[in-house]
Amino acid sequence: MPAKGRLREPAIHLLEAAGLGPEQPGEGALAFPCRDAPVDVLLVRAADIPEYVQDAVVDCGITGADLVRERGASVEELLRLDFGGCTLEAAVPQEAEIREISELAGLRVATVFPRLARELLAERGAEVELVEVTGSVEVAPRLGLADAVVDLVSSGSTLRTNGLRSLGILFSSEAVLIAEPEPAPGTEELARVLGSVVDARKTRYLMMNAPAEAVEKITALVPGSRSPSVLPLQEDGMVAVHVLVPAAQVWQLLPQLEAVGASAILLVPVERMLA
């Protein structure tokens, strides 16, 4: 797992939610055990994790998809973890006349992702002169080091603060669980356990009361759902409907359910979900 940075804490929380019981690492700790599972966690630089996995130093690793692609490691992506989302984007100063990525051809582009930037820009028809930097890429145009940058973007505020304008997304990244092409014993089982948490976080358990004749309309409204559970209530003609729904669509689903007669609607989070 990453020793620091934006992926560290979400990765620890994922292990906790999966019931692995990770010990909280002390200051400067390089490894820690999980209390409730035969899993030991090694804390290293996120950029080094693809090579640690490729070389079988560890059985699997959590890192960014962008770092996996940048290192070109021979690893298998077992699971997308749905945190650490960001995009790799090309950007130029606000006053630049450039409007398309292809117009970067022949210019100097600063980045901490030389391999990935070269490949992705070439796919867009832009052969460039790469300026490899570490640290604050966004200041490179202001210092005269480059005409443009390729860097990770989360909200875009850093680009705007430094007077830069995005030309578009080159690559979408998030945290991933990776392993060797032939995973070690237990690795795929771990992936299934973590996957059950990732899937559950995207889902809500919805319970409601409704007239029996409204069940067909309710089923039609619920997106991507299997057949709901329908239980008779003591009141004649009324039933309880239980169903799993996508968390992202709850805000628009609830008023639609009320419109077809649902009442006493209760929405609760899901801890694990196994297909």
Side-chain angles (χ1 to χ4, degrees):
M1 267 177 27
K4 58 183 179 179
R6 60 191 177 86
L7 299 183
R8 174 189 162 115
E9 291 307 313
I12 291 176
H13 292 159
L14 176 61
L15 295 182
E16 291 173 342
L20 300 181
E23 297 282 359
Q24 286 297 326
E27 188 69 27
L30 299 178
F32 61 87
C34 290
R35 297 185 299 274
D36 304 323
V39 176
D40 291 318
V41 179
L42 182 66
L43 297 170
V44 298
R45 285 198 329 140
D48 293 335
I49 291 174
E51 291 184 8
Y52 275 58
V53 174
Q54 172 185 266
D55 298 340
V57 175
V58 294
D59 297 313
C60 57
I62 294 175
T63 189
D66 55 303
L67 297 173
V68 176
R69 179 88 177 261
E70 174 64 24
R71 286 303 179 104
S74 177
V75 297
E76 183 82 12
E77 183 182 298
L78 297 182
L79 182 66
R80 295 224 151 200
L81 300 177
D82 202 37
F83 64 81
C86 57
T87 53
L88 190 70
E89 302 185 22
V92 295
Q94 289 282 2
E95 65 275 10
E97 297 182 359
I98 298 171
R99 291 291 181 269
E100 302 290 339
I101 291 176
S102 59
E103 296 177 55
L104 294 175
L107 300 182
R108 294 170 301 156
V109 177
T111 186
V112 296
F113 297 92
R115 179 193 185 110
L116 192 50
R118 188 180 302 279
E119 290 178 1
L120 296 174
L121 289 174
E123 291 174 4
R124 301 291 191 91
E127 297 288 343
V128 301
E129 177 187 343
L130 286 176
V131 180
E132 187 173 353
V133 298
T134 58
S136 301
V137 177
E138 295 85 1
V139 300
R142 185 184 305 173
L143 297 177
L145 295 175
D147 304 298
V149 303
V150 169
D151 199 20
L152 286 180
V153 176
S154 294
S155 66
S157 61
T158 303
L159 290 183
R160 292 190 294 272
T161 299
N162 288 278
L164 298 176
R165 167 172 48 82
S166 175
L167 295 177
I169 296 173
L170 295 171
F171 182 77
S172 294
S173 181
E174 66 178 289
V176 293
L177 178 72
I178 57 174
E180 293 181 84
E182 296 184 7
T187 301
E188 291 180 328
E189 180 181 352
L190 176 62
R192 284 193 295 273
V193 171
L194 297 181
S196 70
V197 176
V198 173
D199 290 340
R201 287 174 172 176
K202 301 175 184 177
T203 307
R204 296 294 182 268
Y205 191 68
L206 187 63
M207 296 175 281
M208 72 199 86
N209 295 341
E213 63 268 19
V215 171
E216 187 174 343
K217 292 179 180 178
I218 290 172
T219 302
L221 283 174
V222 176
S225 172
R226 297 176 179 175
S227 179
S229 299
V230 180
L231 309 171
L233 294 176
Q234 188 171 5
E235 182 180 348
D236 288 342
M238 294 292 291
V239 296
V241 181
H242 294 193
V243 65
L244 291 169
V245 298
Q249 299 183 33
V250 165
W251 68 273
Q252 59 186 354
L253 180 60
L254 295 184
Q256 294 174 344
L257 292 171
E258 287 182 315
V260 297
S263 61
I265 299 174
L266 179 63
L267 192 72
V268 296
V270 181
E271 290 189 2
R272 303 277 189 90
M273 194 169 73
L274 295 172

